[in-house]
Amino acid sequence: MENKILDLLKGIRPEFDFQASSDFVEDGMLDSFDIVTLVDELDRHYGISIDGIDIVPENFASVGAIRAVLLKNGARE
Amino acid sequence: MNLRFSNKAISGILTVVPAREVAFEQEMANYNFSPAKCLKLKLAMGYGKHRIVAGDACASDLCVRGLTALFDRGLLKKDEIDALILVTQSPDHFMPPTSNIIQGRLGLKRDLLCLDICQGCAGFVIGLVEAFMLLEQEAIRKVVLLNADVLSRRVSPRDRNSFPLIGDAASVTIVEKDPSGGPIHANLKMDGSQADALMIPAGGFRCPSSPETARLEEDENGNFRAKDHLVMKGDAVFNFVQTEVPPMIAGLMNAAGADPGSVDYFMFHQPNRFMLRKLADKMQVGYEKMPSNIVENFGNSSGVTIPLAVTFNAGERLLRERLKICLAGFGVGLTWASILMNVGPLAFCEMIEYD
């Protein structure tokens, strides 16, 4: 799951090294539109719908946070 | 608060959209994004094309176009209108009320209540509630509810937060007494502590327009806008909608004693497809029952998106059938409001263009 998340992040913002950051939002690597795009792609890839109330920047600040929100919303490893 | 009305009905809906249609691709170069990123955003948000007025067309112009069409076709008579409500955030002037201007332009009778209401995304629901309250009066038998906005004129073309989705439009909704009208349930809430989530900072008396307020400034995301332009805190609005709308609808259904499965359509305000589909998923409503195709075809015209969604998606059916429809608007204010009512068969339910 971590590798897939990194692939999707790279597709959205290819100019950044996401493995070198501990907070994508704080480091300016993801803005709100990137998060919308990421959620859209995660939903489609995992066949889920991430709950709207979970779509807040802190849930997309790291690969670990994204993994946690995916698992909470029914994605399987 | 929960409200309940009876013996009232909507008898016709006409929507008016500008003839000028602009595609998202034609404007991509204005945004501080790569073309690839713009196209991903288009896919996720459902951007396509939007209808925006050319030149200096005003809210009253779109309303006069709609009302004149109804008069010309004999679908509405001037002397049977007892109240004219206009819900808009883009009035022709601060004073006088734009509804009075429309009355004068069309030569409507003087024994008439003209009323402007400043509301946005929830403006169709708030306007209907006002119309239902007026119809409690014996002297008021027919209310014309106008919703109109030309906010594209106050959105920076270099603001990718707002410009790709903005639309201009108007609607004319006839609301009248109907002894056979079933119960109508409404629910509305407001939170002015978040008033700055969606606003035009300058141009009023608090911050009058000046050369300074007209100057474009770049925000932290690379958007260029002036204080004279609409600004939206997209994250805050998104979270507000996802948090507040599902429980509001659950409360409305509970107050009405209605099964959500019995509702034919959830005609909601149309901020963008992403937000609406998240709401539909959360509420476990099929996408076919909650249309989300207005932004991609016409843009978000604030309080007009609900009647636009009705005429675009259910116009033909509503000429023949009676449907149970849940209407919900949410946004500027912040305001969120909903209605559950039966609608149809209608005398008219269609869309025309303003050229």
Side-chain angles (χ1 to χ4, degrees):
Chain A
M1 185 176 273
E2 282 88 347
N3 288 338
K4 184 64 198 175
I5 293 168
L6 282 167
D7 281 350
L8 293 176
L9 288 167
K10 193 80 182 162
I12 293 167
R13 297 302 293 265
E15 67 271 37
F16 294 126
D17 177 4
F18 285 91
Q19 287 175 298
S21 169
S22 59
D23 192 325
F24 309 151
V25 179
E26 189 70 23
D27 292 344
M29 298 162 79
L30 289 183
D31 64 22
S32 56
F33 284 135
D34 294 323
I35 293 173
V36 166
T37 306
L38 179 61
V39 168
D40 188 51
E41 294 187 1
L42 290 167
D43 280 356
R44 279 191 276 130
H45 180 79
Y46 289 100
I48 60 170
S49 176
I50 295 172
D51 193 322
I53 60 172
D54 289 331
I55 305 173
V56 291
E58 53 266 35
N59 284 342
F60 298 88
S62 67
V63 171
I66 296 168
R67 180 175 176 274
V69 85
L70 284 171
L71 294 175
K72 180 187 172 200
N73 283 277
R76 294 191 171 176
E77 293 272 12
Chain B
M1 69 179 73
N2 290 318
L3 303 172
R4 188 177 186 278
F5 303 97
S6 55
N7 302 326
K8 294 156 191 69
I10 292 172
S11 57
I13 305 175
L14 178 76
T15 50
V16 183
V17 295
R20 182 180 174 220
E21 181 180 87
V22 185
F24 179 68
E25 287 81 355
Q26 292 172 260
E27 296 166 336
M28 275 179 6
N30 295 336
Y31 308 132
N32 204 0
F33 264 173
S34 68
K37 190 166 176 179
C38 278
L39 291 172
K40 280 193 174 178
L41 197 61
K42 174 186 175 180
L43 190 67
M45 302 288 272
Y47 297 154
K49 52 201 179 186
H50 56 166
R51 299 290 187 108
I52 51 181
V53 293
D56 56 2
C58 289
S60 72
D61 298 326
L62 273 64
C63 292
V64 166
R65 163 79 175 113
L67 283 165
T68 302
L70 295 178
F71 296 146
D72 289 348
R73 291 165 58 190
L75 294 168
L76 180 66
K77 294 185 174 66
K78 290 184 179 181
D79 60 4
E80 64 186 5
I81 303 172
D82 299 311
L84 191 65
I85 301 172
L86 170 64
V87 186
T88 186
Q89 303 158 111
S90 39
D92 291 15
H93 305 279
F94 278 140
M95 60 185 286
T98 305
S99 51
N100 286 59
I101 292 173
I102 294 168
Q103 176 204 19
R105 284 178 64 180
L106 291 170
L108 303 183
K109 68 186 184 187
R110 294 170 67 174
D111 192 19
L112 171 75
L113 171 66
C114 291
L115 179 65
D116 278 23
I117 297 176
C118 179
Q119 269 288 344
C121 316
F124 186 64
V125 177
I126 297 296
L128 282 176
V129 166
E130 187 66 34
F132 296 148
M133 291 194 289
L134 288 174
L135 286 165
E136 300 284 339
Q137 293 298 313
E138 194 176 332
I140 296 180
R141 293 171 297 277
K142 184 169 287 198
V143 177
V144 169
L145 168 62
L146 304 170
N147 288 82
D149 266 309
V150 288
L151 283 169
S152 73
R153 296 178 58 188
R154 284 299 193 99
V155 176
S156 167
R158 297 178 67 190
D159 182 353
R160 63 173 185 254
N161 274 10
S162 302
F163 200 77
L165 59 80
I166 199 73
D168 302 319
S171 61
V172 183
T173 305
I174 312 301
V175 192
E176 54 190 296
K177 288 185 164 75
D178 179 356
S180 66
I184 297 169
H185 293 269
N187 181 302
L188 56 91
K189 294 183 193 297
M190 313 249 171
D191 180 7
S193 72
Q194 297 188 70
D196 64 350
L198 271 157
M199 76 184 308
I200 298 174
F205 285 89
R206 179 67 63 193
C207 180
S209 286
S210 67
E212 174 65 21
T213 64
R215 192 163 51 83
L216 288 178
E217 296 172 342
E218 185 175 4
D219 72 7
E220 65 274 16
N221 295 314
N223 296 298
F224 288 84
R225 74 174 77 83
K227 290 188 174 64
D228 288 337
H229 288 135
L230 182 150
V231 59
M232 173 174 63
K233 294 181 177 174
D235 296 358
V237 173
F238 180 85
N239 287 324
F240 146 70
V241 170
Q242 300 299 324
T243 303
E244 301 296 347
V245 173
M248 169 178 69
I249 300 302
L252 179 72
M253 295 296 159
N254 189 45
D259 171 10
S262 71
V263 176
D264 295 296
Y265 282 111
F266 292 82
M267 292 291 187
F268 281 16
H269 169 58
Q270 305 273 312
N272 60 61
R273 187 174 63 202
F274 180 80
M275 200 184 288
L276 280 164
R277 291 202 164 174
K278 284 297 170 195
L279 277 180
D281 291 342
K282 175 85 171 178
M283 294 167 53
Q284 298 183 303
V285 170
Y287 294 161
E288 74 287 355
K289 282 195 171 189
M290 189 188 291
S292 59
N293 53 7
I294 296 304
V295 164
E296 68 193 81
N297 285 292
F298 304 100
N300 172 354
S301 48
S302 197
V304 194
T305 63
I306 296 175
L308 207 46
V310 171
T311 54
F312 188 60
N313 291 289
E316 286 290 322
R317 282 190 74 186
L318 281 167
L319 295 178
R320 305 184 307 269
E321 297 177 52
R322 173 165 290 237
L323 302 174
K324 184 181 282 189
I325 300 184
C326 176
L327 310 164
F330 31 81
V332 175
L334 296 172
T335 304
W336 57 115
S338 55
I339 286 176
L340 181 65
M341 65 184 295
N342 291 321
V343 182
L346 300 178
F348 56 91
C349 189
E350 61 188 73
M351 182 168 39
I352 61 172
E353 290 189 335
Y354 171 84
D355 212 340

